[in-house]
Amino acid sequence: MKLFMIAAPASGSGKTMITCGMLKLLKEKGVAAFKCGPDYIDPMFHRKVLGVDSENLDTYLQTPEQIAAILSGHEEAYGLIEGVMGLYDGLGGIKEEGSSYHLAKMFHIPILLVLDARGMGRTMISILKGICAEDRMHLISGIILNRTSKSFYELMKPLIEEEVGIPVCGYLPVLPNLKIESRHLGLQLPDEIQLLQLQLDRLAEEMRDRINFLPYAKEPVLGKIIATKNSTGGKPLTLAVARDEAFCFYYKQNLKELEQKSIKPVEFSPLHDSSLPKCDGLLLGGGYPELYAKALSENRAMCDSIQSAIERGLPSMAECGGFMYLHRFLRDMDGTEYPLVGAIDGTVFNTGKLCRFGYVELFDRNNRFGTVKGHEFHYYDSTNNGEDAVAKKPVGKRTWPCMHIAENHIWGFPHLYYPSCPELVDYFVEQMEQYHEKFVSLF
């Protein structure tokens, strides 16, 4: 697979729009999409709207061997990585680890740098010189000027190439009716998806003859890959996985990690179904329960089914939106309270601002499993966040109590990355095995 990365000096430069257009153009040739960092939304957009397989690559959450295994598992002709934030912005905004450049450097991935050129002249040369001066491995292979006219592009291209020493491989004019960045991933309506697909068709045509990007794609240097050992255990255990409009945030590698332990995922909808499927465990991922609070609350049959199963001892994991769903009440921005599952005696409420954001390391106070890495991004908070673990920021000294952890459950706001802590998966699978022996095998 020939690979390249789309990066930029900062968020809002247009790398998402250009990535989407390139994926559209490459789809017929065979392309896989990747998102640098922990964000769920871009990979979902790639899969759902573009129909392109997509997953996360994250040098903080994943080891080099895990990333190499993901890349080597793809047989598409091309792979396109969308960077995160500014090219060099990593942990805490001050470290290289976790940045787009860190990933590119790790596997010698060529970078196409998108510069928002609107409102700039020669200043863009100074910006590009500064960015390229930090590129000690000379990975920046091409420059794309976004939001500029054809005439100004033709004027600046030779100047940039002469003074910066990097080829300028194309440009994109201002496209006022195309706003790919402002999408919302609660996309379900066929008409909404179809409209986006029509916009992407137009975007691809705008880019087709303006940006020459294919010559820059190269095979990554993957090094030695350590194969993951699959479980050869007994009969498969069944994991009920919530997936619908309200619950849609899952790392592909998390589910793969469980499947390698003979766990069979079975999807169900807390919005539309009336009861849990027969299962040995429950996984409630993140998503948008606050947007569907009324419908989730009115589906009392499902709420009662989940509550009864948890009371019976069904092992469960719940993250962010799934954690919110387990509360007794959800209070929206208007102050309306909706009763939900009730497994957690507390209320989740909108704080009106980003509550906790960024990478975390979680330490289980009772040492049931090792340190697990994850991240948080939510505007809601809880009156009962739990105190069974300690969350620590990877940069700085900030810590706080969090999580509800017991023999049969792991619940909290953090999105966990399971491959960062195999002991966590082993612990949960063991609880599922015990539950299966005690209850499911009796019927």
Side-chain angles (χ1 to χ4, degrees):
M1 179 173 66
K2 291 185 177 181
L3 196 64
F4 64 103
M5 176 185 286
I6 298 298
S11 296
S13 300
K15 60 180 179 287
T16 293
M17 178 177 285
I18 287 172
T19 296
C20 288
M22 287 181 177
L23 288 173
K24 190 75 177 178
L25 290 170
L26 286 172
K27 189 174 178 181
E28 290 184 0
K29 297 179 183 292
V31 63
F34 304 94
K35 174 64 181 180
C36 182
D39 175 45
Y40 290 97
I41 292 179
D42 286 311
M44 288 176 59
F45 186 82
H46 299 155
R47 289 191 296 266
K48 192 157 193 174
V49 179
L50 288 161
V52 174
D53 187 30
S54 183
E55 53 190 305
N56 297 82
L57 301 176
D58 190 308
T59 61
Y60 172 72
L61 296 179
Q62 298 160 328
T63 65
E65 293 80 12
Q66 288 170 340
I67 297 172
I70 292 170
L71 292 174
S72 67
H74 284 268
E75 297 180 352
E76 293 87 353
Y78 295 95
L80 198 168
I81 302 171
E82 180 181 347
V84 60
M85 300 175 64
L87 176 59
Y88 301 110
D89 300 334
L91 299 183
I94 59 173
K95 290 194 173 184
E96 184 181 87
E97 183 184 359
S99 69
S100 303
Y101 191 76
H102 190 217
L103 175 64
K105 186 172 79 169
M106 192 175 286
F107 299 104
H108 298 247
I109 299 167
I111 299 166
L112 297 184
L113 189 73
V114 177
L115 180 69
D116 185 351
R118 188 172 187 177
M120 274 196 288
R122 274 196 60 88
T123 301
M124 69 177 76
I125 294 177
S126 300
I127 293 172
L128 290 169
K129 281 183 176 179
I131 292 171
C132 291
E134 293 294 315
D135 177 19
R136 293 178 175 85
M137 287 189 67
H138 306 290
L139 297 173
I140 299 174
S141 304
I143 295 165
I144 299 169
L145 301 184
N146 188 30
R147 303 206 304 170
T148 192
S149 66
K150 179 181 179 181
S151 59
F152 198 63
Y153 165 75
E154 291 174 343
L155 183 66
M156 291 302 302
K157 174 179 165 66
L159 290 175
I160 292 171
E161 291 179 340
E162 180 183 353
E163 298 192 34
V164 181
I166 304 289
V168 181
C169 56
Y171 77 101
L172 198 62
V174 174
L175 302 171
N177 297 322
L178 274 171
K179 295 186 179 295
I180 307 301
E181 293 93 342
S182 61
R183 73 237 180 254
H184 188 279
L185 255 290
L187 295 171
Q188 291 295 324
L189 296 176
D191 289 346
E192 187 179 5
I193 294 175
Q194 187 177 15
L195 178 60
L196 272 168
Q197 289 170 340
L198 290 172
Q199 285 186 308
L200 288 170
D201 288 340
R202 181 191 156 203
L203 172 62
E205 289 307 309
E206 293 279 1
M207 291 174 57
R208 187 181 297 278
D209 297 322
R210 289 192 173 109
I211 303 176
N212 181 27
F213 58 91
L214 274 186
Y216 299 92
K218 295 181 180 179
E219 291 185 9
V221 179
L222 297 181
K224 183 180 177 181
I225 301 169
I226 300 175
T228 303
K229 293 182 179 179
N230 291 345
S231 171
T232 57
K235 296 179 180 179
L237 299 170
T238 301
L239 179 68
V241 179
R243 193 184 291 275
D244 56 20
E245 302 95 312
F247 303 97
C248 48
F249 291 170
Y250 295 98
Y251 287 127
K252 182 178 178 179
Q253 294 301 315
N254 278 3
L255 297 176
K256 187 174 181 179
E257 190 85 1
L258 290 166
E259 289 170 4
Q260 288 171 345
K261 298 290 185 179
S262 296
I263 302 299
K264 178 184 177 183
V266 175
E267 295 182 358
F268 75 100
S269 170
L271 274 172
H272 306 298
D273 295 336
S274 58
S275 64
L276 282 175
K278 185 178 179 180
C279 59
D280 307 295
L282 169 64
L283 178 59
L284 296 167
Y288 305 103
E290 66 275 22
L291 300 183
Y292 301 93
K294 187 175 186 293
L296 289 168
S297 179
E298 290 176 348
N299 190 355
R300 295 316 308 166
M302 178 56 78
C303 289
D304 293 343
S305 176
I306 292 175
Q307 174 70 349
S308 296
I310 289 173
E311 289 176 350
R312 191 169 63 245
L314 179 72
S316 58
M317 288 201 284
E319 302 177 359
C320 204
F323 173 62
M324 292 166 60
Y325 180 52
L326 290 179
H327 280 68
R328 190 172 297 280
F329 296 102
L330 183 150
R331 184 186 309 137
D332 67 12
M333 292 188 68
D334 298 325
T336 304
E337 289 194 348
Y338 298 95
L340 295 175
V341 173
I344 297 170
D345 186 15
T347 298
V348 285
F349 55 94
N350 193 306
T351 64
K353 60 182 180 181
L354 195 58
C355 198
R356 287 181 290 279
F357 167 68
Y359 292 114
V360 293
E361 294 180 358
L362 296 175
F363 304 88
D364 173 23
R365 291 184 189 272
N366 290 309
N367 297 316
R368 299 174 182 88
F369 44 82
T371 303
V372 56
K373 292 181 178 181
H375 76 100
E376 293 196 37
F377 189 103
H378 50 95
Y379 290 83
Y380 276 71
D381 207 345
S382 169
T383 60
N384 187 1
N385 279 300
E387 297 186 348
D388 296 315
V390 175
K392 180 183 181 299
K393 298 292 288 183
V395 176
K397 298 180 180 180
R398 185 186 171 200
T399 64
W400 62 92
C402 65
M403 306 294 293
H404 294 262
I405 304 174
E407 287 186 0
N408 67 337
H409 63 253
I410 303 169
W411 305 332
F413 268 118
H415 295 282
L416 308 179
Y417 190 72
Y418 306 164
S420 72
C421 182
E423 299 89 347
L424 169 70
V425 176
D426 291 339
Y427 176 79
F428 187 64
V429 171
E430 182 181 346
Q431 304 309 311
M432 291 178 64
E433 289 172 342
Q434 292 176 7
Y435 179 85
H436 182 88
E437 290 298 320
K438 186 175 182 181
F439 290 101
V440 179
S441 60
L442 297 178
F443 300 96

